[in-house]
Amino acid sequence: MNFEKARFNMVEQQIRPWEVLDFDVLDLLMSVRREEFVPEAYKSLALSEAEIPLGHGGSMLIPVIEGKILQAIQVKRSDKVLEVGAGSGYFAALLAARADWVRTVEIEPALVTLAHENLKRYGVENVIVEEGDAICGWPSNAPYDLIVVSGGVPFIPETLLQQLKVGGRLFAFVGEPQLMTATLVTQVSEGNFRTESLFENAVPMMRNAPQKSQFKF
């Protein structure tokens, strides 16, 4: 299979038509080889619009959604990043190509191993993969410039917001399993947050995501 031609087609036919026009994002998606992070059985689909299963209830986001997230979060070279949900390690590799460092935390042990091995083999040195549940935050390395939640949550936990630096951004899919809103939250000043609704999409819910009934005012 000609992966370079397929990668060009992925960017030009899948991603760019959905208003992902940031040249830096498009260049990043061209340079990080997605097929290196896809299970062997699905490698031929790595650059297609198919949802790639990872086992254990996990799956990769489709390329156009990955592109839209990257365009929204605008990763900076100085960013210290927390990713909640490592998956295959591919999105961590995308983040790491632009950020200072990335700590990606995965609840499923088998995916911890998968992400770690993929990132090591690909030569990514500024990502640390840890096993754990970071849906309510990962305080040992807080505060962060950027937090990316890779699945759905009914609401954004307050503890996650508290781990953002002033000027920091948090991305998450917020809503119910059938329909969620891609949401970007920026802490514009201490305790003052700006929320932007970006687009609608359905993604798997994060395991152990707090439920609305648990939210206390």
Side-chain angles (χ1 to χ4, degrees):
M1 179 175 176
N2 186 336
F3 282 111
E4 295 312 310
K5 181 177 181 181
R7 194 176 345 276
F8 178 83
N9 290 339
M10 175 188 77
V11 169
E12 295 299 320
Q13 297 174 14
Q14 296 178 48
I15 297 171
R16 193 191 290 270
W18 284 91
E19 299 184 344
V20 179
L21 304 175
D22 185 309
F23 286 113
D24 188 62
V25 170
L26 298 175
D27 179 65
L28 181 60
L29 292 166
M30 284 292 295
S31 62
V32 179
R33 299 192 298 275
R34 195 174 197 263
E35 67 274 14
E36 299 294 334
F37 294 85
V38 171
E40 192 65 36
Y42 298 98
K43 204 169 279 286
S44 64
L45 299 174
L47 305 171
S48 73
E49 296 177 271
E51 186 174 282
I52 306 293
L54 299 174
H56 311 280
S59 62
M60 296 177 70
L61 296 171
I62 62 173
V64 66
I65 299 302
E66 293 167 334
K68 290 178 82 67
I69 295 172
L70 289 167
Q71 182 167 262
I73 60 180
Q74 292 291 300
V75 186
K76 303 177 180 67
R77 177 51 62 190
S78 59
D79 280 347
K80 280 70 173 172
V81 184
L82 171 67
E83 182 189 30
V84 183
S88 71
Y90 173 65
F91 202 78
L94 292 170
L95 293 168
R98 294 292 183 267
D100 183 9
W101 55 258
V102 177
R103 189 166 298 265
T104 182
V105 183
E106 171 61 52
I107 196 171
E108 171 54 52
L111 296 184
V112 173
T113 301
L114 176 66
H116 175 75
E117 291 179 349
N118 283 343
L119 289 160
K120 183 179 179 180
R121 187 182 63 253
Y122 198 69
V124 180
E125 297 182 346
N126 58 333
V127 176
I128 294 176
V129 185
E130 293 200 70
E131 182 179 337
D133 185 359
I135 193 58
C136 290
W138 202 250
S140 59
N141 294 92
Y144 303 96
D145 299 290
L146 175 62
I147 298 174
V148 178
V149 181
S150 61
V153 289
F155 63 92
I156 299 172
E158 183 67 25
T159 48
L160 264 184
L161 294 173
Q162 291 171 356
Q163 292 179 22
L164 274 182
K165 294 179 182 178
V166 172
R169 296 92 66 212
L170 183 150
F171 177 91
F173 295 95
V174 182
E176 301 304 322
Q178 293 77 21
L179 187 61
M180 300 166 191
T181 301
T183 303
L184 182 68
V185 180
T186 304
Q187 184 167 205
V188 293
S189 59
E190 193 67 45
N192 182 23
F193 298 92
R194 180 181 69 241
T195 301
E196 301 170 68
S197 298
L198 304 174
F199 58 91
E200 293 184 340
N201 195 66
V203 299
M205 295 294 288
M206 296 296 295
R207 195 188 303 181
N208 291 355
Q211 299 304 304
K212 288 183 177 180
S213 60
Q214 297 172 333
F215 188 76
K216 295 180 174 60
F217 289 92

